[in-house]
């Protein structure tokens, strides 16, 4: 059954939550023990009912993505979840300095599938272009930044020892059915 990610059954402390049971070991935790730096970009969808479901608790050093099963690729809204009368915006950033909504990546209020070059401003206001970036492009840019940042750190010798990097980007685009995993030394794709 596809239920909301925050769904839980408090009587079942092992598997009473939507998503991956908290006592199950994920790939990022295993890679971390092997000396990898771990990052994920895209759809989380393995639970959010407790802190044990958070990407940090699952072994990731960083994550940019959304919690729910889906969201709008332009507004980042999750239509079924309302905060008062407003739909919830589901785009989150977690890293060493931030763990919360990615407000800095929010598109302008006029941005949509049908209006990809919106101009803001109302009557009597200056008209300026609004940010309007398709969510998959936001994820792609973050992935590239992660790999570049890792390469810079390696060149500068900023790591205590050479660290391996593992990056995971599950495709959320409905036209794609692959999960891509890359590292600084190799890349592979599997369905």
């Amino acid at each position: 059954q596809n239920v909301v990610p925050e769904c839980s059954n408090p009587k079942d402390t092992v598997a009473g939550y939507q998503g991956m049971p908290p006592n199950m070991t994920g790939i990022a935790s295993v890679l971390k023990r092997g000396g990898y730096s771990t990052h994920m970009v895209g759809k989380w969808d393995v639970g959010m009912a407790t802190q044990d479901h958070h990407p940090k608790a699952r072994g990731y050093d960083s994550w940019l993505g959304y919690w729910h099963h889906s969201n709008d690729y332009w507004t980042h809204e999750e239509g079924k979840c309302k905060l008062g009368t407003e739909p919830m915006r589901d785009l989150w950033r977690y890293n060493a300095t931030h763990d919360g909504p990615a407000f800095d990546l929010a598109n302008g209020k006029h941005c949509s599938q049908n209006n990809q070059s919106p101009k803001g401003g109302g009557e009597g206001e200056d008209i300026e272009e609004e940010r309007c970036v398709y969510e998959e492009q936001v994820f792609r840019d973050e992935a590239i930044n992660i790999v570049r940042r890792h390469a810079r750190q390696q060149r500068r010798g900023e790591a205590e020892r050479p660290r391996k990097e593992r990056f995971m980007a599950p495709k959320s685009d409905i036209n794609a059915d692959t999960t891509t995993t890359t590292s600084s030394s190799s890349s592979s794709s599997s369905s």
Side-chain angles (χ1 to χ4, degrees), residues 4-142:
V4 293
E6 60 273 22
C7 181
S8 69
N9 174 1
K11 294 178 183 175
D12 182 351
T13 58
V14 175
Y17 307 97
Q18 186 280 334
M20 192 164 82
N23 63 348
M24 183 181 284
T25 303
I27 188 69
S29 297
V30 174
L31 290 170
K32 201 121 180 83
R33 287 193 299 256
Y36 283 86
S37 172
T38 54
H39 308 275
M40 183 173 158
V41 174
K43 181 179 181 175
W44 181 244
D45 204 20
V46 291
M48 61 182 268
T50 70
Q51 286 297 314
D52 291 336
H53 289 91
H54 190 286
K56 179 180 183 177
R58 296 312 201 164
Y60 287 98
D61 294 316
S62 73
W63 171 59
L64 174 66
Y66 55 97
W67 297 98
H68 280 255
H69 306 302
S70 64
N71 71 355
D72 185 282
Y73 293 143
W74 298 99
T75 65
H76 312 134
E77 291 176 356
E78 198 290 310
K80 295 179 185 136
C81 187
K82 302 269 187 213
L83 299 173
T85 59
E86 298 295 315
M88 182 187 83
R89 290 194 176 209
D90 187 7
L91 187 62
W92 198 269
R93 180 191 309 271
Y94 151 69
N95 58 35
T97 61
H98 183 77
D99 186 8
F103 293 125
D104 60 313
L105 298 175
N107 285 325
K109 65 182 179 179
H110 301 101
C111 177
S112 69
Q113 173 70 32
N114 297 326
N115 188 11
Q116 296 177 26
S117 298
K119 302 241 186 256
E123 192 173 321
E125 295 179 27
D126 287 335
I127 296 176
E128 51 184 78
E129 284 193 38
E130 293 181 352
R131 175 184 165 86
C132 191
V133 182
Y134 186 62
E135 189 168 78
E136 288 294 320
Q137 181 69 40
V138 171
F139 294 157
R140 177 190 165 276
D141 292 349
E142 180 72 4

